[in-house]
Amino acid sequence: MNTKLLSSAAAAALLLGTAATADLSIMYRSQFASLIEPGIEAYEAATGEAVERIPLPNEGYDNRIALDVASGTAPDVLHIDTGMVQRLSANGDLLPLNGMAETWDQWQFYPQRTLDATSLDGKVYALLTDTDARMLWYSVKAFEAAGIETPWKPQTWDELLDTARKVKEATGTENALVVPAGTKNEEATTMQGFYMVLLGADTPEGDRNRLRNRDTGQWIGKSPALRRTFEFYETIYNTDALAEPGDQYSSDVGAIMRPGLISGEVGIWASGSWENNCIWDCGGTDIPPQAERDKAVYWAPFPGSGVAGAPAYSNISAGWTVGVSAATDQPEEAKALVAKIFDRETFEPWVIENGRMAVRTDIAETPAYQSDKFFSDVTPLNDQTTKRDAVPGYYFVSALVQQSTADILDGISVDEVMETYHETLIDEFGEDQVMVIED
């Protein structure tokens, strides 16, 4: 085979080989129809074959995938949350896509960090449609009241906490610094809160700043980073009372925080890049111009702790992906459909028109993308991003994290919370699957 990279059309033809009666199926969230369906149409036009479309609503979507995979009835191509990719690939339910790098000329535009987000043991199991970043959102009105100059970019946890104290003193707000906590926030507690703090709590060497050691496959039951993270929560919610614990039990915490940031009743809130729209309207229909948004609410990277070796800032990303079911009997055709979905001709307009964070360098470098000040400024955060440990067992650990932060909200001591956390991991996974990192 000539290994020279091919054009998209030639790649699709090569991936299709001599198959003449491809009859593929694809399941996807209907919210992503404007991306998926043009790719399907391009594939059908290039091959003359029909693709069965299975668009589904958001509610219950992940459960449907899990049920279809377990029953052996999964479609050939799947639209998948990043949180499911590692679990499915670890169970052998997805096909590796690495071979597409030899036949599809656009693979080269996916940075390794992007590919790592959907990889296991060096094999890529899905391609990201979009991604996100996590950061601190702050109220310009509250900062002005406290005499804090903006734009603001804290360098350490101490600087972050000091700013929050000033905001509380100047405004009297009960929510000067809000980091998601408790079980009501579910995965937001883990991703927007706990893991963002943990990643900045210690050096990344040896996975000292994570929930799991990726080299040994063990969950981390005790570590200096875990202790610092729990202490950080204790400072916010108990010692300094910088956030109202009761708000974390609300059925919709965002409904409190978003208008609060605009009005100045909330000082700082840890959340994600989607808030550039959602603070005003998650539906995207009633959003002020960017310049007006920036005058009311702005963002800053989530700083590291400042201890030796800790990163300057932390970020953890998620997003949605497209992968190929291991049960397909037409793997090359399925990969060709994936290539069509991600062909730049249709993918780039979708990214720009829908305000998505780019996952490819060629799109991120275009004038149209760079002209969006928010995305051009926030995209570099993903130069230092990571992913959740979404291997089997992760969601148990995530729920344990959420409960542990709820215990902090309830005033249980850090020592007791850490001991319970460690022992619960051992009870669930066995002592040999849980490690301790010493000071």
Side-chain angles (χ1 to χ4, degrees), residues 194-401:
F194 196 87
Y195 228 141
M196 287 292 287
V197 182
L198 182 66
L199 287 166
D202 203 346
T203 174
E205 297 297 322
D207 282 348
R208 290 177 60 93
N209 64 343
R210 298 190 68 94
L211 295 172
R212 177 177 175 269
N213 185 298
R214 290 167 293 181
D215 288 334
T216 67
Q218 294 170 295
W219 297 101
I220 300 171
K222 292 182 180 179
S223 71
L226 284 168
R227 174 169 288 279
R228 291 177 192 133
T229 300
F230 285 125
E231 288 174 346
F232 186 81
Y233 271 90
E234 185 177 52
T235 298
I236 293 173
Y237 285 99
N238 297 329
T239 308
D240 288 5
L242 297 173
E244 168 51 52
D247 287 344
Q248 298 305 302
Y249 293 100
S250 167
S251 60
D252 186 355
V253 178
I256 299 171
M257 300 304 149
R258 290 168 180 145
L261 285 169
I262 297 171
S263 68
E265 295 175 58
V266 173
I268 307 163
W269 182 38
S271 191
S273 50
W274 54 88
E275 299 297 349
N276 190 49
N277 286 346
C278 282
I279 287 171
W280 283 266
D281 178 14
C282 279
T285 59
D286 189 20
I287 299 176
Q290 187 67 58
E292 290 184 27
R293 284 178 270 173
D294 292 348
K295 289 178 182 177
V297 180
Y298 208 66
W299 65 276
F302 201 121
S305 61
V307 304
Y313 67 89
S314 59
N315 185 28
I316 188 167
S317 300
W320 283 83
T321 75
V322 178
V324 175
S325 169
T328 182
D329 57 2
Q330 300 174 92
E332 299 311 311
E333 291 85 346
K335 292 175 188 176
L337 175 56
V338 172
K340 281 298 185 184
I341 290 169
F342 288 101
D343 186 86
R344 182 172 175 176
E345 184 176 345
T346 53
F347 189 32
E348 180 181 336
W350 179 83
V351 171
I352 302 298
E353 291 168 9
N354 289 274
R356 303 283 179 162
M357 184 177 288
V359 295
R360 285 169 44 157
T361 57
D362 56 340
I363 296 175
E365 293 166 359
T366 62
Y369 189 84
Q370 288 294 315
S371 68
D372 186 308
K373 184 179 183 302
F374 174 73
F375 281 114
S376 63
D377 288 349
V378 80
T379 297
L381 288 182
N382 280 348
D383 291 341
Q384 184 173 296
T385 194
T386 186
K387 59 184 178 180
R388 72 190 99 179
D389 308 286
V391 296
Y394 167 76
Y395 287 102
F396 175 87
V397 177
S398 181
L400 178 58
V401 162

Side-chain angles (χ1 to χ4, degrees), residues 1 9 35-36 59 76 126 188 337 372:
M1 178 191 298
L35 169 65
I36 303 294
E59 187 175 354
D76 299 283
L337 175 56
D372 186 308

Side-chain angles (χ1 to χ4, degrees), residues 11-83:
L14 177 60
L15 286 169
L16 289 170
T18 59
T21 58
D23 186 17
L24 296 176
S25 56
I26 178 171
M27 186 163 71
Y28 53 97
R29 288 175 69 198
S30 53
Q31 180 182 346
F32 283 73
S34 59
L35 169 65
I36 303 294
E37 291 176 2
I40 295 172
E41 291 162 8
Y43 173 87
E44 290 176 331
T47 66
E49 304 298 336
V51 175
E52 180 186 0
R53 308 176 189 201
I54 311 173
L56 296 174
N58 297 350
E59 187 175 354
Y61 183 81
D62 287 353
N63 289 336
R64 171 66 183 271
I65 289 180
L67 288 171
D68 283 4
V69 167
S71 65
T73 60
D76 299 283
V77 180
L78 293 165
H79 183 217
I80 321 164
D81 180 17
T82 50

Side-chain angles (χ1 to χ4, degrees), residues 47-234:
T47 66
E49 304 298 336
V51 175
E52 180 186 0
R53 308 176 189 201
I54 311 173
L56 296 174
N58 297 350
E59 187 175 354
Y61 183 81
D62 287 353
N63 289 336
R64 171 66 183 271
I65 289 180
L67 288 171
D68 283 4
V69 167
S71 65
T73 60
D76 299 283
V77 180
L78 293 165
H79 183 217
I80 321 164
D81 180 17
T82 50
M84 294 190 74
V85 172
Q86 278 197 320
R87 181 172 39 169
L88 292 174
S89 54
N91 291 335
D93 296 320
L94 295 177
L95 284 184
L97 302 181
N98 301 61
M100 290 177 64
E102 299 177 7
T103 57
W104 185 45
D105 62 338
Q106 296 182 44
W107 184 277
Q108 63 184 304
F109 298 116
Y110 290 85
Q112 191 57 50
R113 279 192 178 274
T114 298
L115 297 175
D116 286 347
T118 54
S119 297
L120 182 66
D121 298 331
K123 295 179 180 179
V124 180
Y125 286 92
L127 292 180
L128 280 162
T129 60
D130 59 334
T131 190
D132 49 36
R134 283 159 176 77
M135 65 274 279
L136 298 170
W137 290 92
Y138 62 89
S139 169
V140 174
K141 185 174 183 179
F143 274 44
E144 287 176 347
I148 299 165
E149 185 177 350
T150 59
W152 166 76
K153 189 177 180 181
Q155 303 299 306
T156 64
W157 290 357
D158 284 345
E159 187 177 340
L160 169 58
L161 292 167
D162 184 57
T163 299
R165 294 180 189 110
K166 290 177 180 176
V167 168
K168 178 183 177 181
E169 182 178 358
T171 68
T173 178
E174 293 183 329
N175 284 314
L177 171 58
V178 181
V179 178
T183 56
K184 281 285 189 179
N185 280 302
E186 298 180 327
E187 192 68 3
T189 288
T190 310
M191 292 281 282
Q192 279 89 269
F194 196 87
Y195 228 141
M196 287 292 287
V197 182
L198 182 66
L199 287 166
D202 203 346
T203 174
E205 297 297 322
D207 282 348
R208 290 177 60 93
N209 64 343
R210 298 190 68 94
L211 295 172
R212 177 177 175 269
N213 185 298
R214 290 167 293 181
D215 288 334
T216 67
Q218 294 170 295
W219 297 101
I220 300 171
K222 292 182 180 179
S223 71
L226 284 168
R227 174 169 288 279
R228 291 177 192 133
T229 300
F230 285 125
E231 288 174 346
F232 186 81
Y233 271 90
E234 185 177 52

